[in-house]
Amino acid sequence: MAIKFILRILPWLFICLLGIYIYLSSRSFLSGLVDTEKKIEITNNIIVEKIELLGKLELCKFYIKDIVEHKVIAPWYDKNSKVVLIISGEAIGCIDLRKIDSTSVQVTEKQVIITLPAAEICNFKVDHQTSKIYDIETGFFDDDKKIIDKAYQLAEVEIQKSARKMGIEKQTRLNAEIILKPFLSAM
């Protein structure tokens, strides 16, 4: 009796499964024919939050390449994490003209002497478009993104240090004389 019942239901079960298979396969086939991409609509409402007086005269830009190996030593139960980056970056030397005040200017009969503020690094950054990840190895419990982000942060600080070691402030001071001396003499 149970066998007769199974033999009666088996064809209907087969037909139902075949129908489900045909339905699902036709949907995936039709989705390839019909444009099913979602439309994206973006609305922006931009406002100016703050306007800042800069007054910094950019006089020098150093383009820097660096190979950074950032290694995280793991505990005994995990393996060490390491990322090797080929970094491209830049550092900009400038003089902040807002720091010139009445004590910085001396006027005599024949000349005007302006004492410029000290040269400084006003901007430094990693160029993510031209920088590349050369190699990455992570431990079992480490996140690739966190290790890469930390390596980029350390590389950015290293760009600033390297620019300072290479004499960006001295070069900025020389460029200030080259650019400002003729301009001020003509006045």
Side-chain angles (χ1 to χ4, degrees):
M1 181 147 172
I3 294 177
K4 285 183 184 181
F5 179 74
I6 292 175
L7 290 176
R8 267 195 213 168
I9 293 180
L10 194 59
W12 290 106
L13 185 62
F14 177 76
I15 290 171
C16 288
L17 290 174
L18 183 63
I20 292 171
Y21 173 76
I22 291 171
Y23 173 74
L24 292 176
S25 63
S26 68
R27 284 194 59 178
S28 64
F29 174 74
L30 289 176
S31 68
L33 296 177
V34 179
D35 183 19
T36 59
E37 289 188 31
K38 295 179 181 178
K39 305 286 187 225
I40 298 174
E41 185 177 311
I42 299 173
T43 303
N44 288 336
N45 296 314
I46 299 174
I47 59 171
V48 176
E49 184 177 314
K50 181 180 177 181
I51 297 175
E52 184 178 345
L53 174 66
L54 296 178
K56 292 186 178 184
L57 181 61
E58 293 181 357
L59 295 162
C60 183
K61 185 185 278 190
F62 280 23
Y63 294 95
I64 299 171
K65 284 257 190 205
D66 191 10
I67 298 174
V68 176
E69 180 179 338
H70 176 67
K71 189 182 255 186
V72 178
I73 308 299
W76 63 270
Y77 53 84
D78 197 3
K79 69 178 197 170
N80 294 340
S81 297
K82 177 179 82 168
V83 63
V84 179
L85 305 172
I86 300 173
I87 298 293
S88 295
E90 61 185 44
I92 299 173
C94 64
I95 293 178
D96 191 352
L97 298 177
R98 295 174 298 173
K99 293 179 181 176
I100 296 176
D101 58 8
S102 60
T103 60
S104 305
V105 180
Q106 296 175 351
V107 180
T108 65
E109 289 181 26
K110 295 185 179 183
Q111 62 185 358
V112 176
I113 300 170
I114 300 175
T115 305
L116 294 174
E120 59 187 63
I121 298 175
C122 57
N123 192 9
F124 56 93
K125 65 180 181 178
V126 171
D127 182 3
H128 292 279
Q129 297 293 327
T130 56
S131 297
K132 295 183 179 8
I133 299 170
Y134 181 74
D135 185 31
I136 185 165
E137 298 173 10
T138 55
F140 301 117
F141 304 108
D142 289 330
D143 183 18
D144 291 356
K145 290 180 186 178
K146 287 182 181 177
I147 292 172
I148 292 170
D149 286 345
K150 186 66 175 174
Y152 273 119
Q153 289 171 0
L154 294 172
E156 196 167 66
V157 171
E158 196 59 39
I159 285 173
Q160 180 189 27
K161 288 178 185 176
S162 297
R164 193 163 274 132
K165 285 178 191 174
M166 291 179 205
I168 193 168
E169 282 120 346
K170 182 179 178 184
Q171 187 64 47
T172 301
R173 190 77 172 168
L174 291 172
N175 289 0
E177 288 179 28
I178 292 169
I179 293 171
L180 294 176
K181 201 173 213 176
F183 173 72
L184 294 173
S185 296
M187 293 175 71

